[in-house]
């Protein structure tokens, strides 16, 4: 529990710190820059985590096998739960649904905070993208929230 | 192990991100600003952690009792080990020595990196100060490294 608190607190500080810096810096483009910076941080942390995790695991069979690893082992380490639902169109699009996303459960579930949700998703989009990248999969990851604290991450695989 | 990796990676990203921002921003005063920002982040995370940790603990006897809590429980949660040595002059100065400080063990122990050590200590100085602050103790916390990865944190209690 204490570890989880440490991660949540650090994540909040990163979000707050980057938004503060962006506000002081560039005006309107500030929020976009902060989201970009959060995503990049997530990307590098995702890369680093995957390096450590997969040191002793067996080779993955295929893309779906990798996605399952992200939904189970990877997600559990970071968020203390698995992804609740993984869907795919078998053409390179995956949707990962978390019905109780840990970085959103700290916020009130009311609609009035819905507009702040993207701040708390950008780091995790990067985390997924970085993890996949180190497993040889190039992707674009986006997130959407319809009713908090549930959210969906959409992964679009970029064929090379 | 995975949790620890997450903390170490996030911490590294914060250090790198703040230094990058400082370099782009203000030139010479940049590094000082980055250290200040790291210390403030540590302060708020320390406050948050103490709030969670002490929810169910007994009231502390005195100042020394609080310092021991920081050296044992608090340190173990964040760094997976206790402080190796706690000394005090019984007049409000405490020296906490960690012979193998977790945020420095990632770096080579050579002398050539000694100049970079302060970057990796600022957050933790804030962490201690924030923790103590939420336990009603105002302090100034500084750190020094003589030979990596050992380091000493000096806590000066500010009498109110």
């Amino acid at each position: 529990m204490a570890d989880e608190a440490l991660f949540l607190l650090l994540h909040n500080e990163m979000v707050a710190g980057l938004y503060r810096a962006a506000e002081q810096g560039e005006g309107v483009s500030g929020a976009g820059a902060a989201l970009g910076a959060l995503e990049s941080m997530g990307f590098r942390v995702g890369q680093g985590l995957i390096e450590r995790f997969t040191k002793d695991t067996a080779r993955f069979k295929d893309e779906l096998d990798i996605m399952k690893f992200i939904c189970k082992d990877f997600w559990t380490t970071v968020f203390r739960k698995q992804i609740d639902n993984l869907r795919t169109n078998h053409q390179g699009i995956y949707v990962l649904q978390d019905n109780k996303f840990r970085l959103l459960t700290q916020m009130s579930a009311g609609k009035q905070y819905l507009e702040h949700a993207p701040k708390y998703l950008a780091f995790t989009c990067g985390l997924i993208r970085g993890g996949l990248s180190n497993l040889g999969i190039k992707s674009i990851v986006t997130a959407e929230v319809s009713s908090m604290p549930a959210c969906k991450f959409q992964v679009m695989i970029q064929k090379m």
Side-chain angles (χ1 to χ4, degrees), chain A:
Chain A
M1 194 208 73
D3 290 316
E4 196 184 8
L6 185 59
F7 169 62
L8 296 176
L9 289 163
L10 273 172
H11 181 268
N12 284 350
E13 280 304 314
M14 283 187 345
V15 173
L18 284 166
Y19 269 78
R20 218 169 15 240
E23 271 168 26
Q24 288 165 2
E26 299 120 275
V28 186
S29 72
L35 283 182
L38 277 171
E39 210 270 350
S40 307
M41 284 179 138
F43 183 80
R44 285 183 301 267
V45 171
Q47 286 188 311
L49 282 178
I50 280 290
E51 241 168 61
R52 281 162 181 77
F53 286 179
T54 54
K55 207 159 52 87
D56 306 312
T57 55
R59 195 178 275 260
F60 294 105
K61 273 209 317 272
D62 52 19
E63 198 177 274
L64 185 61
D65 203 28
I66 290 179
M67 293 307 298
K68 284 182 182 165
F69 175 80
I70 296 284
C71 293
K72 289 184 183 170
D73 304 61
F74 190 75
W75 214 257
T76 304
T77 307
V78 183
F79 301 112
R80 303 301 149 98
K81 72 183 285 295
Q82 297 184 11
I83 281 287
D84 295 295
N85 192 298
L86 169 66
R87 277 182 301 168
T88 176
N89 68 351
H90 297 287
Q91 291 182 22
I93 293 185
Y94 295 85
V95 177
L96 289 66
Q97 179 165 339
D98 189 331
N99 294 331
K100 211 176 158 190
F101 183 51
R102 198 60 191 89
L103 297 177
L104 291 178
T105 51
Q106 312 170 76
M107 293 162 76
S108 162
K111 283 226 172 211
Q112 71 267 43
Y113 296 116
L114 209 53
E115 57 174 313
H116 293 291
K119 292 187 203 183
Y120 295 92
L121 301 173
F123 177 83
T124 306
C125 287
L127 204 63
I128 299 172
R129 193 169 66 85
L132 288 174
S133 157
N134 254 27
L135 294 170
I137 295 181
K138 213 179 148 200
S139 64
I140 295 172
V141 182
T142 54
E144 66 172 78
V145 178
S146 45
S147 70
M148 297 218 265
C151 80
K152 281 180 191 168
F153 294 91
Q154 178 170 303
V155 179
M156 277 184 285
I157 309 292
Q158 307 288 292
K159 295 292 174 205
M160 283 183 271

